[in-house]
Amino acid sequence: MRLEVCVEDLAGIDAAIAGGADRIELCSALSVGGLTPAGSLIRAVADVPLPVHLLCRPRAGGFIYTTAEQTLVADDIRTAAEAGLAGAVIGANDPVGHLDTSLLAEWVALARSLAVDRGRPLSLTLHRAFDLCPDLTKALDEAIELGFDRILTSGGTPKAIDGIATLADLHRRAAGRIGILPGSGIDPTTLPAILATGVDEVHASCRRPIAERAGEMTERRFGFVADPNMATDAGAVATLKAMLRAHE
């Protein structure tokens, strides 16, 4: 049973490691579902003792990309490979909401080529652009055909706990051909129901509000600090990981 923790800063990386996470999704701007982080942070995780997957998402909003944005994602995939990261997290929809299979095929081919060049695999996760598709069964088959290793999904609903039936169906239909990675709202209260679907890995932010620091009120007034201010919590990571171990 594996726990992937999404983090957006160095403190989050340290907390994920300390809490016993199995994998990190590296991103920024978790308040909007995550964006591609700065190159400096990507370089900083080169020696992290966990597999790190880079979220390749150039902006907030939906996943229908312009030609220029498509190039940014391709460059992010290249950055992940060249930085020695274990994987990349990508996704795109076409104008009617289905997976943009042509674009995704280009990105997958690039990732596989880069993996050959560097001499080791680059794992590929299809992100929650999947959840916006009108036919998740069709999207599942397309993801398998494209060669993705896993799908990060909340079962087509904003929170995974509300997509339990769909997650169970996706896991059954996947039949080991692709991993189903539930995410969105995973915490100790929702984890048991998520695990009852049969999946063997979950994705969580494990964030908690942090106590206000001296001077933070002024920073918040200027808009430099989010409200509420959240941070990855090692204890929250450890709690989920202990529940996963108990489920094995």
Side-chain angles (χ1 to χ4, degrees):
M1 302 298 298
R2 295 179 298 279
L3 172 61
E4 176 179 279
V5 177
C6 51
V7 302
E8 61 183 2
D9 53 29
L10 291 174
I13 294 166
D14 291 341
I17 295 169
D22 300 291
R23 186 169 66 234
I24 287 172
E25 182 195 61
L26 187 67
C27 57
S28 65
L30 281 172
S31 61
V32 292
L35 300 176
T36 306
S40 55
L41 184 60
I42 296 170
R43 291 189 293 273
V45 302
D47 297 323
V48 167
L50 293 178
V52 177
H53 292 185
L54 178 67
L55 176 61
C56 304
R57 184 185 176 207
R59 57 157 172 78
F63 308 106
I64 301 171
Y65 293 123
T66 66
T67 300
E69 290 169 339
Q70 294 170 21
T71 299
L72 290 179
V73 174
D75 285 346
D76 290 337
I77 296 169
R78 187 172 291 105
T79 296
E82 293 175 350
L85 303 192
V89 183
I90 59 177
N93 297 113
D94 68 18
V96 294
H98 297 283
L99 292 181
D100 189 336
T101 54
S102 296
L103 176 57
L104 290 171
E106 291 178 15
W107 288 343
V108 170
L110 171 63
R112 300 307 182 213
S113 174
L114 292 167
V116 170
D117 291 344
R118 73 178 191 166
R120 65 187 181 94
L122 185 69
S123 184
L124 290 176
T125 300
L126 174 61
H127 64 47
R128 293 179 64 208
F130 174 86
D131 286 320
L132 300 184
C133 294
D135 184 342
L136 295 187
T137 299
K138 176 175 181 286
L140 172 68
D141 291 339
E142 290 171 339
I144 292 169
E145 180 66 23
L146 286 163
F148 279 95
D149 298 294
R150 69 191 59 78
I151 301 170
L152 172 60
T153 175
S154 55
T157 58
K159 297 297 181 184
I161 191 63
D162 298 316
I164 288 292
T166 300
L167 288 169
D169 184 61
L170 290 170
H171 176 69
R172 180 183 61 80
R173 289 177 181 274
R177 296 174 295 164
I178 193 170
I180 300 300
L181 174 63
S184 187
I186 306 293
D187 63 24
T189 66
T190 59
L191 183 60
I194 298 294
L195 294 180
T197 65
V199 299
D200 61 5
E201 58 180 356
V202 296
H203 169 102
S205 67
C206 298
R207 297 201 299 166
R208 291 176 176 166
I210 59 177
E212 189 167 286
R213 298 175 286 99
E216 189 171 306
M217 183 68 73
T218 299
E219 295 165 4
R220 182 172 283 109
R221 234 175 4 100
F222 276 82
F224 298 150
V225 176
D227 188 14
N229 195 9
M230 307 283 285
T232 310
D233 183 84
V237 176
T239 296
L240 283 189
K241 184 58 186 177
M243 293 177 69
L244 290 170
R245 288 196 185 100
H247 188 79
E248 292 176 346

